[in-house]
């Protein structure tokens, strides 16, 4: 059986997730249950959604440094407006998604570096979040709370949600014609342009879609935490980038993998639990997370070499 | 047309024009009373951004994808360990400086080993590295706040002929960096690598060596900045570097260095650093709340980029 290169690229993230999970089960057998799994992966859902959003931006060769503050902003809106007056909340979210599309257009039209524009936007979203919730507070909308704490039979919600996110985004990015064009913009935007497509429109749509997933991440986060504050998701910027890379995505060339990105997000979440089960002193937890990142990427390099050798034979 | 050419040839003019505008607006608001204090504060705080900004600029010049995210962690670790080593003794000042330079060298080498040996994209390699460095800093700091040696603290907080000493240090470092960039073969090499790594390799430039030196240089500048900042603020804190991550990138780009690499600009870093500080103090003077201040800072950054970016698309 011949494996496609896309499948091979998924093996390492999947294998490292399984390995990490096995280690966690070995150290804490009680985690091997419905509740255990749910607790382990609960926080992965918003991270997975943010990672997908970052992946969409990366598929057109850009990078979004405002992801963390934007998700925080969305969480603040969810805990306030979306809860008290849903119509206004939805309107704000539509405006935010339109702002994302506009950023995509401006970056392309003026040929600006995406990291700087999104860096500037991160101040804007952060400021808006502070204006909405100057101190931690707010209440999660009942339905978001219900959705995130739902207990489907057999498989915990966190797993169901992750699979659902992976499946839906796989269809959008890998199976739909829009997804092909989007990745085409990342690969070679000039040839997409010459084939008669509007790169401008495609980039706007990609950014809007990324904004949409980031909004979902904010709602999911508030559904879990029940309240929000302006700094709730700041670390999502770096987590989402690391998740995409861990899942086999690349910074340039439109090479991304939605399933990989979700697996990457799950791996990063699990790494945190793994370290607390290892009873590593809190001083070294961040460092160990960095080390895990390095080890997984080193494994990927080894596999890439293997793949290349097979090709040349 | 000549003016237009001048603007295209000297992209740093934009950041200085913006700085002067903001300075005038702020001073006008306070009726001229604050002009000296404001200038001194701006020079002091800009100096720290300039030092880290120069290091980041060298890395960004190497071309797309090159960026150093370990700057804040390096600053923290260097500040923490140097102060611990000096232990308030004046005689240890030089030893502390050498130690912080050594820390920078080690982190720089570590960064490039990850990038080269494991072929990890620089953004992720330096991020993972910064996690580890941050952990070492947390472990060694233990929440204690050690004071800097008195002479060093005096040096960092006083000024010479009205110019803060830290600004003078930053100026000396900038001149050295300018010579390195414009007049030395190393400077030509990094620009060449930034414009086309492939062509640079074909031309016989030692690409890997040059990149290694660049990452080391960036880490050393970050650790020297951490040493100065810890001495200036009377002790190292675990979060002392955090704002310099975005700052170091922002000053480089606003200063007119091409993000795609191969074209860098040192005067622009000064303009951008002063500008970034003055914008915040202007918004403070006008009495905006934290939320509005952040929003306006963001919008002003984007506006400057839009203005400055336009000149590239004219070509």
């Amino acid at each position: 059986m011949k494996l496609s290169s896309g499948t091979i690229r998924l093996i390492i993230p999947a294998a490292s997730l399984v390995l990490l999970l096995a280690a966690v089960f070995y150290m804490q057998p009680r985690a091997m249950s419905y509740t255990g799994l749910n607790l382990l992966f609960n926080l992965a859902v918003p991270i997975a959604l943010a990672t997908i959003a970052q992946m969409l931006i990366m598929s057109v060769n850009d990078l979004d440094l405002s992801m963390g503050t934007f998700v925080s902003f969305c969480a603040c809106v969810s805990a306030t407006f979306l809860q008290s007056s849903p119509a206004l909340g939805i309107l704000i979210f539509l405006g935010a998604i339109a702002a994302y599309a506009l950023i995509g257009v401006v970056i392309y039209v003026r040929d600006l570096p995406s990291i700087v524009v999104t860096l500037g936007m991160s101040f804007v979203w952060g400021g808006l979040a502070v204006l909405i919730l100057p101190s931690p507070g707010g209440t999660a909308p009942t339905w978001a709370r219900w959705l995130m704490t739902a207990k489907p039979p057999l498989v915990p919600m966190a797993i169901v949600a992750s699979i659902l996110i992976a499946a839906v985004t796989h269809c959008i990015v890998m199976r739909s014609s829009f997804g092909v064009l989007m990745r085409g913009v990342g690969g070679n935007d000039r040839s997409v342009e010459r084939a008669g497509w509007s790169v401008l429109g495609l980039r706007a749509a990609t950014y809007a879609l990324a904004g949409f997933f980031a909004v979902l991440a904010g709602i999911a986060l508030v559904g879990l935490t029940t309240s929000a504050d302006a700094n709730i998701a700041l670390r999502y910027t770096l987590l989402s980038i690391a998740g995409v890379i861990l899942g086999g995505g690349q910074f340039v060339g439109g090479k991304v993998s939605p399933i990989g990105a979700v697996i990457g997000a799950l791996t990063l979440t699990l790494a945190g639990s793994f370290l607390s089960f290892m009873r590593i002193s809190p001083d070294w937890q961040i460092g160990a997370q960095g080390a895990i990142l390095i080890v997984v990427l080193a494994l990927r390099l080894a596999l890439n070499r293997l793949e290349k050798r097979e090709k040349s034979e | 047309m000549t003016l237009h050419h001048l603007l295209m040839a000297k992209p740093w003019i934009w950041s200085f024009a913006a700085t002067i505008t903001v300075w005038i607006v702020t001073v006008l608001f306070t009726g001229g009373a604050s002009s000296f204090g404001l200038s001194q504060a701006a020079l002091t705080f800009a100096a720290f951004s300039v030092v880290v900004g120069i290091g980041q600029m060298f890395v960004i010049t190497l071309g797309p994808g090159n960026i150093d995210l370990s700057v804040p962690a390096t600053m923290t670790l260097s500040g923490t360990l140097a102060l611990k080593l000096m232990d308030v003794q004046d005689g240890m000042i030089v030893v502390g400086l050498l130690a912080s330079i050594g820390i920078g060298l080690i982190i720089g080498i570590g960064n490039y080993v990850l990038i080269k040996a494991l072929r990890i994209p620089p953004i992720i390699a330096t991020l993972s590295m910064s996690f580890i460095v941050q952990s070492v800093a947390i472990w060694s700091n233990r929440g204690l706040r050690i004071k800097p040696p008195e002479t060093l603290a005096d040096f960092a907080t006083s000024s010479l002929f009205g110019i803060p000493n830290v600004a003078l240090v930053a100026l000396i470092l900038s001149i050295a960096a300018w010579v390195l960039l414009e007049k030395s073969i190393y400077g030509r090499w990094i620009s060449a690598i930034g414009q086309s790594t492939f062509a640079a390799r074909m031309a016989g430039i030692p690409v890997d060596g040059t990149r290694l030196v660049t990452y080391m240089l960036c880490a050393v500048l970050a650790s020297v900045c951490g040493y100065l900042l810890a001495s200036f603020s009377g002790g190292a804190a675990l979060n002392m570097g955090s704002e310099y991550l975005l700052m170091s990138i922002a000053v480089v780009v606003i200063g007119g260095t091409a993000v795609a690499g191969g074209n860098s600009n040192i005067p622009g870093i000064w303009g951008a650093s002063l500008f970034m500080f003055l914008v915040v103090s202007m918004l403070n003077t006008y009495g905006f709340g934290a939320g509005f201040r952040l929003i306006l800072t963001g919008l002003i950054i984007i506006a400057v980029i839009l203005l400055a970016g336009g000149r590239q698309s004219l070509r």
Side-chain angles (χ1 to χ4, degrees), chain A residues 63 106 110 112-113 115-117 119-121 123-124 126-128 130-131 238 241-242 245 251 283-284 286-287 290 293-294 297-298 301 305, chain B residues 67 69 114 117-121 123-124 127-128 131-132 135-136 138-139 142 246 250 253 259 291 294-295 298-299 301-302 305-306 309-310:
Chain A
L63 206 56
V106 167
R110 305 282 290 187
L112 297 172
I115 45 173
V116 191
V117 178
L119 196 71
M121 283 313 290
F123 287 97
V124 175
L128 287 171
V130 170
L131 283 184
L238 297 177
I241 299 173
I245 298 297
F251 282 106
D283 292 358
W284 293 102
I286 318 174
L293 210 59
I294 293 171
L297 290 168
L301 171 78
R305 288 216 173 126
Chain B
I67 201 155
L69 297 188
L114 289 181
L118 297 182
R119 306 229 190 120
I120 302 178
I123 192 166
I124 298 290
L127 176 65
S128 320
F131 284 164
I132 296 172
S135 266
V136 178
I138 295 173
W139 169 73
R142 295 261 162 227
L246 295 186
V253 179
V259 177
L294 281 170
I295 296 174
L299 291 179
I301 293 178
I302 294 177
I305 292 296
L306 272 174

Side-chain angles (χ1 to χ4, degrees), chain B residues 74 78-79 82 85 95-105 219-220 223-224 226-227:
Chain B
T74 309
S78 141
L85 185 68
V95 182
L97 181 63
L98 289 178
S100 80
I101 291 175
I103 291 164
L105 288 177
V220 167
S223 56
V224 169
Y227 173 88

Side-chain angles (χ1 to χ4, degrees), chain B:
Chain B
M1 206 53 209
T2 42
L3 180 70
H4 186 215
H5 273 288
L6 186 74
L7 283 178
M8 288 212 302
K10 304 250 181 279
W12 48 266
I13 285 180
W14 289 100
S15 60
F16 275 97
T19 304
I20 293 167
T21 316
V22 176
W23 188 86
I24 292 173
V25 170
T26 316
V27 169
L28 278 184
F29 184 79
T30 55
S34 66
S35 56
F36 181 71
L38 180 71
S39 315
Q40 247 199 350
L43 280 174
T44 308
F45 285 97
F48 298 117
S49 317
V50 166
V51 176
V52 283
I54 289 172
Q56 191 72 267
M57 182 203 71
F58 275 104
V59 170
I60 287 177
T61 308
L62 284 175
N66 282 295
I67 201 155
D68 188 350
L69 297 188
S70 66
V71 163
T74 309
M75 286 173 67
T76 309
L77 182 65
S78 141
T80 310
L81 288 187
L83 289 195
K84 215 174 175 179
L85 185 68
M86 292 187 287
D87 200 21
V88 213
Q89 298 164 33
D90 282 344
M92 297 288 278
I93 290 175
V94 178
V95 182
L97 181 63
L98 289 178
S100 80
I101 291 175
I103 291 164
L105 288 177
I106 293 169
I107 295 173
I109 293 174
N111 275 336
Y112 195 64
V113 164
L114 289 181
I115 295 167
K116 183 66 192 170
L118 297 182
R119 306 229 190 120
I120 302 178
I123 192 166
I124 298 290
T126 52
L127 176 65
S128 320
M129 188 51 131
S130 84
F131 284 164
I132 296 172
V133 173
Q134 185 75 24
S135 266
V136 178
I138 295 173
W139 169 73
S140 62
N141 183 293
R142 295 261 162 227
L144 297 174
R145 203 173 166 87
I146 303 169
K147 280 206 161 87
E150 213 165 303
T151 320
L152 186 60
D154 281 347
F155 170 79
T157 46
S158 55
S159 44
L160 188 70
F161 306 123
I163 299 171
N165 284 336
V166 281
L168 291 174
V169 172
L171 187 66
I172 293 167
L173 287 174
S174 325
I175 292 170
W178 185 82
V179 172
L180 200 61
L181 189 70
E182 303 286 339
K183 303 288 169 199
S184 80
I185 182 83
Y186 164 76
R188 303 288 90 195
W189 280 348
I190 60 167
S191 295
I193 292 171
Q195 279 157 23
S196 165
T197 311
F198 180 73
R201 209 183 284 274
M202 288 294 118
I205 293 172
V207 173
D208 291 325
T210 311
R211 291 180 71 197
L212 169 66
V213 170
T214 309
Y215 276 93
M216 282 161 68
L217 186 67
C218 179
V220 167
L221 282 170
S223 56
V224 169
C225 180
Y227 173 88
L228 284 174
L229 185 60
S231 314
F232 174 79
S233 50
L238 280 178
N239 61 351
M240 65 184 240
S242 54
E243 69 176 293
Y244 287 91
L245 175 60
L246 295 186
M247 188 63 89
S248 70
I249 302 170
V251 296
V252 171
V253 179
I254 292 177
T257 295
V259 177
N263 188 3
S264 40
N265 186 331
I266 288 177
I269 290 184
W270 274 94
S273 301
L274 289 166
F275 171 70
M276 290 294 287
F277 176 80
L278 285 171
V279 164
V280 175
S281 52
M282 172 182 81
L283 298 176
N284 272 333
T285 324
Y286 279 68
F288 284 109
F292 277 114
R293 212 162 58 217
L294 281 170
I295 296 174
L296 286 172
T297 312
L299 291 179
I300 290 172
I301 293 178
I302 294 177
V304 171
I305 292 296
L306 272 174
L307 272 176
R311 105 197 98 78
Q312 278 163 352
S313 56
L314 282 176
R315 265 187 285 199

